[in-house]
Amino acid sequence: MSIKIQLSRIFHGVGVLRELETEKAQHMAPVTTTPIINDGPLIAEVDMGSDFNAQTVRATVVQASTIFYDTPATLDKAERLLAEAASYGSQIVVFPEAYIGGYPRGSVFGVSLGNRTAKGREDFRKYHSAAIDVPGPEVDRLAAMAGKYKVHLVMGVIERDGYTLYCTVLFFDSQGRYLGKHRKLMPTALERVIWGFGDGSTIPVFETQIGKIGAVICWENKMPLLRTAMYAKGVEIYCAPTADSRELWQPSMIHIALEGGCFVLSANQFCRRKDYPPAPDYVFEGTEEDLTPDSVVCAGGSVIVSPSGAVLAGPNYEGEALISADLDLGDIARAKFDFDVVGHYGRPEVLSLIVKDHPTNPVTFASTSTKTEEKTK
């Protein structure tokens, strides 16, 4: 049995391929995506042979930048990357946090305690315009892309709900059906100025042909009660779109994989200063004078981790990349034999969690509630 590794440097979605052949010593093992050769991302393609005891799922995390303030162009780029991932046989593709709509790194939106600036308000207007409605035409296009390329798609977006924005993850199956969304429960630091807060009604885990899929966004992954809720819902492919490129992110991903007995797929953007509008239209507060167009402002670090804590692919800090690995779903049972955090390792008579999973709307109309009750009778 052989392992075929394909190296692909992405230039605006066009892959330049070279192939290396190596022999596989014993029994099937995942392949990492390091090292990076000549600044080109490594995409692991594994000839897994036949295994009738456990399903194998090919997964890809996308490490690429938004085209900031240009949502149609970002959707075009997303489709090119999705098509390339599908050409390698990927069955699930995970994009970074806020990929559609953009992560406004370095921007302060003119905010200080007790004050807003006119430019900051205009920055928010432009950011609001780049966000998408859910449902809406962009969601329809993403669904069509998932169906066209026959992949399960997990996409980070900025969701516009009236005049409030949410950092959201959208889920689509390989038939092109929109499954639902997760809104970030707790935005981090200044994110709270520009994003609303999700509630317990959007922390889903979807049962699909390739396993149970859910997502937790960036520093939500540090919230142990939220993680516990995901484990209780049976998540098997735990997606962690993020904006955190620090090396400290890696042990968190490994810990979650071990704690939850699940695969963890973490996707982050790789961005340079030139991927954002130039100053003074867009300013990286406090660092703008030190940046050149090629300065890296987000270094990626996308990674795929197995339920045993083994790093299957990545982390990549070198550039835009498609980072892939084959997931042996049998590894989930093997890991949970040792530790099942909401099963045989739970102590519900001592420790328990209540999740309030209903919508928390600021305004409820009695007529709407009455109609809903009538429909359920």
Side-chain angles (χ1 to χ4, degrees):
M1 189 184 299
S2 65
I3 301 176
K4 181 171 68 174
I5 300 177
Q6 297 184 326
L7 305 180
S8 169
R9 183 177 296 168
I10 300 172
F11 296 104
H12 304 293
V14 178
V16 180
L17 300 180
R18 293 174 294 171
E19 294 186 358
L20 299 178
E21 292 291 337
T22 62
E23 287 302 316
K24 197 173 188 186
Q26 296 176 349
H27 146 120
M28 153 177 96
V31 180
T32 67
T33 61
T34 53
I36 303 300
I37 299 177
N38 294 329
D39 276 339
L42 187 81
I43 300 168
E45 284 290 296
V46 187
D47 181 9
M48 301 301 292
S50 297
D51 181 356
F52 298 103
N53 295 318
Q55 183 182 2
T56 299
V57 173
R58 184 159 298 174
T60 294
V61 292
V62 173
Q63 180 165 289
S65 66
T66 299
I67 302 174
F68 210 81
Y69 288 153
D70 194 339
T71 296
T74 302
L75 284 164
D76 290 343
K77 181 176 181 179
E79 181 160 8
R80 291 194 298 270
L81 295 168
L82 190 64
E84 188 163 358
S87 74
Y88 302 131
S90 294
Q91 296 161 273
I92 179 170
V93 179
V94 181
F95 279 77
E97 177 182 15
Y99 185 76
I100 306 296
Y103 187 84
R105 187 174 298 279
S107 179
V108 298
F109 289 86
V111 173
S112 58
L113 285 176
N115 189 50
R116 306 282 193 276
T117 68
K119 183 181 184 305
R121 291 189 177 97
E122 176 61 13
D123 288 344
F124 181 80
R125 184 200 65 78
K126 291 187 291 186
Y127 190 53
H128 180 272
S129 294
I132 68 171
D133 296 320
V134 180
E138 294 85 3
V139 177
D140 293 342
R141 180 173 177 190
L142 290 168
M145 287 161 48
K148 178 180 178 180
Y149 299 107
K150 306 299 182 190
V151 298
H152 292 76
L153 173 61
V154 179
M155 175 63 75
V157 307
I158 299 304
E159 177 192 358
R160 180 175 55 220
D161 188 353
Y163 289 94
T164 294
L165 302 180
Y166 295 92
C167 182
T168 298
V169 170
L170 305 181
F171 301 85
F172 304 86
D173 70 13
S174 59
Q175 303 304 306
R177 291 182 293 239
Y178 168 64
L179 300 177
K181 67 185 178 184
H182 165 59
R183 284 178 173 175
K184 194 172 189 178
L185 282 176
M186 176 52 75
T188 299
L190 199 65
E191 293 173 0
R192 297 171 201 168
V193 172
I194 56 169
W195 296 340
F197 292 55
D199 61 33
S201 68
T202 65
I203 50 173
V205 170
F206 297 102
E207 188 157 3
T208 73
Q209 292 177 336
I210 62 170
K212 295 178 181 178
I213 301 171
V216 179
I217 306 169
C218 204
W219 277 22
E220 283 188 315
N221 286 280
K222 296 187 176 188
M223 299 169 68
L225 300 185
L226 177 56
R227 296 199 309 267
T228 302
M230 296 295 287
Y231 304 149
K233 290 189 172 191
V235 66
E236 295 170 331
I237 300 177
Y238 180 114
C239 304
T242 188
D244 192 340
S245 61
R246 301 173 305 158
E247 290 187 4
L248 284 171
W249 184 249
Q250 303 304 317
S252 288
M253 297 298 96
I254 292 169
H255 169 76
I256 290 169
L258 283 167
E259 179 182 67
C262 53
F263 290 96
V264 173
L265 280 56
S266 182
N268 192 9
Q269 298 195 31
F270 182 93
C271 305
R272 299 185 186 275
R273 176 62 185 89
K274 63 187 177 186
D275 293 316
Y276 287 80
D281 189 38
Y282 191 102
V283 175
F284 279 74
E285 192 69 27
T287 61
E288 185 64 53
E289 62 279 2
D290 300 324
L291 299 175
T292 69
D294 287 323
S295 294
V296 175
V297 295
C298 183
S302 302
V303 69
I304 299 175
V305 187
S306 82
S308 67
V311 175
L312 304 182
N316 181 311
Y317 296 103
E318 301 300 322
E320 292 198 338
L322 301 178
I323 300 162
S324 299
D326 279 358
L327 317 181
D328 176 2
L329 298 189
D331 285 344
I332 297 171
R334 296 179 189 108
K336 291 194 184 240
F337 174 65
D338 294 345
F339 181 84
D340 185 355
V341 66
V342 291
H344 64 75
Y345 234 89
R347 289 291 307 278
E349 76 281 13
V350 180
L351 303 168
S352 62
L353 170 66
I354 297 173
V355 180
K356 299 176 182 178
D357 58 355
H358 57 275
T360 54
N361 298 316
V363 179
T364 301
F365 292 94
S367 58
T368 304
S369 300
T370 301
K371 289 177 182 178
T372 302
E373 289 174 5
E374 289 174 353
K375 287 181 181 178
T376 57
K377 289 180 181 178

